[in-house]
Amino acid sequence: MKKSGENIIIGIDHGYGYIKTASENIIKSGVEAIPVRPPFDEDIFEIGSRVFVAGQNRSEHMADKTVNEDYYYLTLVGIAMELKANRMKNAKNVILAVGLPYSFFSAQKESFRTYLIKKKSLNFSYEGEKYHVELKDVKVYPQGLPVLAMIMNQYRDKTVSIADIGSRTIDVITYRRGKPFYDMCFSLDKKGTLDWIDVIEKYYLSKYQEKIEEEDIQCIFQNQNTSISKNQLQYVKDLIKFYVKDVMKLLESKIPNTLVLCGGGATVVNNFYKCENKNIIIKEDIFCNAKGYELLAYNSMKK
């Protein structure tokens, strides 16, 4: 959260896999309506007379995030998490700073903004706390641009590409001498970490005749402990290395200049890919987009 005069800027990264905020809150991108409120508050989101569980299971999402109310409700949960992190329950003049994949940006920017700002006076509850928010505006940016904005001073006279490796897409934005170079701005759809997980689950099932939980794969992505056997663990690691190498080969073939990796997939690349290219830089902060959206919105208001 950033403040600019009377305005409160809240950055939210609407990933296909996870919702992330600038205060380093993260939940799975999923909401599920339930008929009766349970006797506990964890993960419970309420609006009007409706009750939802937020962030426990990931929903199946279309490329267009406005086709249903899921991302709208997840946005309100993101706002609640930011307000809680700043010990607030009420907020006026809130400006949301959000993003979309580069290839979808032009076509979906206005519809996504309209979708998020359709109601300006908001009353809802999250995890037992009631929140009141007065929404003033929504600013939408291309994914990857926030990281570029953070490092632009280092590469103002050079060519630099940012590859945001997300859950579904890999979004690449390239700047040459401080200006966007459109021939090298693109998105690779269905190349993100959830697609890596789908491949791993398929081959694991074929080899061991049993299902591996996504949570176990996510732990292996981060070099965390799991309950699977040593041989199974090595098999999954070999699959990750193969898939990461394939993605990196593709990126390096398309980008001859300095390449900065960010997003959740950047950590996986760092853990499982031996990079010998000195022009590749890895930014492991998975919250960099949400933080960067806030920075971009803040800077635009200071002009």
Side-chain angles (χ1 to χ4, degrees), residues 17-274:
Y18 296 91
I19 298 294
K20 298 181 282 288
T21 74
S23 293
E24 302 194 352
N25 297 290
I26 181 170
I27 60 169
K28 287 184 177 179
S29 295
V31 289
E32 181 181 1
I34 54 177
V36 179
R37 193 192 193 287
F40 45 78
D41 293 328
E42 287 80 5
D43 302 322
I44 299 301
F45 169 74
E46 300 169 87
I47 185 166
S49 60
R50 304 191 69 187
V51 182
F52 299 85
V53 177
Q56 290 194 356
N57 296 297
R58 186 180 299 105
S59 301
E60 290 294 328
H61 296 301
M62 305 294 289
D64 184 351
K65 296 177 181 178
T66 68
V67 295
N68 56 38
E69 295 294 275
D70 285 12
Y71 274 103
Y72 183 72
Y73 294 146
L74 287 167
T75 301
L76 301 188
V77 171
I79 292 173
M81 291 190 296
E82 280 296 290
L83 292 180
K84 181 179 180 180
N86 289 273
R87 299 181 180 180
M88 300 170 63
K89 296 181 182 179
N90 301 284
K92 295 182 178 180
N93 300 307
V94 171
I95 296 175
L96 279 179
V98 301
L100 287 169
Y102 177 83
S103 291
F104 308 152
F105 182 78
S106 296
Q108 297 181 9
K109 176 184 176 182
E110 288 305 320
S111 62
F112 194 46
R113 181 184 179 279
T114 300
Y115 170 80
L116 293 178
I117 204 171
K118 59 190 171 186
K119 189 175 181 181
K120 291 192 172 183
S121 182
L122 305 168
N123 292 283
F124 55 90
S125 296
Y126 180 60
E127 296 193 332
E129 296 288 352
K130 294 182 178 180
Y131 296 94
H132 174 73
V133 174
E134 297 291 335
L135 190 59
K136 182 176 181 179
D137 197 6
V138 175
K139 295 182 180 293
V140 187
Y141 302 98
Q143 289 176 198
L145 183 61
V147 176
L148 191 60
M150 292 175 181
I151 66 172
M152 181 54 71
N153 286 338
Q154 303 174 46
Y155 298 97
R156 190 166 299 279
D157 298 322
K158 301 177 182 178
T159 301
V160 59
S161 296
I162 308 295
D164 181 357
I165 306 175
S167 297
R168 171 173 172 167
T169 60
I170 299 177
D171 299 293
V172 178
I173 295 181
T174 301
Y175 264 58
R176 177 175 287 176
R177 294 187 174 276
K179 295 182 179 180
F181 185 55
Y182 299 112
D183 282 352
M184 291 175 61
C185 295
F186 55 90
S187 290
L188 299 172
D189 194 21
K190 296 185 179 180
K191 287 287 187 180
T193 55
L194 290 182
D195 300 285
W196 305 356
I197 288 172
D198 286 343
V199 173
I200 292 166
E201 287 178 339
K202 180 180 72 173
Y203 285 111
Y204 187 94
L205 179 62
S206 177
K207 184 172 179 63
Y208 294 107
Q209 292 79 56
E210 63 181 51
K211 178 178 172 57
I212 182 172
E213 296 295 328
E214 179 187 324
E215 297 299 331
D216 283 327
I217 300 174
Q218 293 283 6
C219 286
I220 298 169
F221 276 168
Q222 306 301 324
N223 281 332
Q224 298 173 355
N225 294 329
T226 68
S227 60
I228 65 176
S229 72
K230 184 177 180 180
N231 288 340
Q232 291 170 322
L233 175 62
Q234 188 58 53
Y235 181 71
V236 173
K237 286 184 175 181
D238 289 342
L239 288 175
I240 296 171
K241 289 176 183 178
F242 178 85
Y243 208 90
V244 169
K245 184 178 179 180
D246 184 62
V247 168
M248 290 304 299
K249 183 179 178 181
L250 177 61
L251 286 174
E252 290 185 74
S253 69
K254 290 178 174 291
I255 302 168
N257 48 265
T258 299
L259 173 62
V260 180
L261 304 180
C262 65
T267 301
V268 186
V269 173
N270 192 53
N271 289 339
F272 289 93
Y273 182 70
K274 185 177 180 181

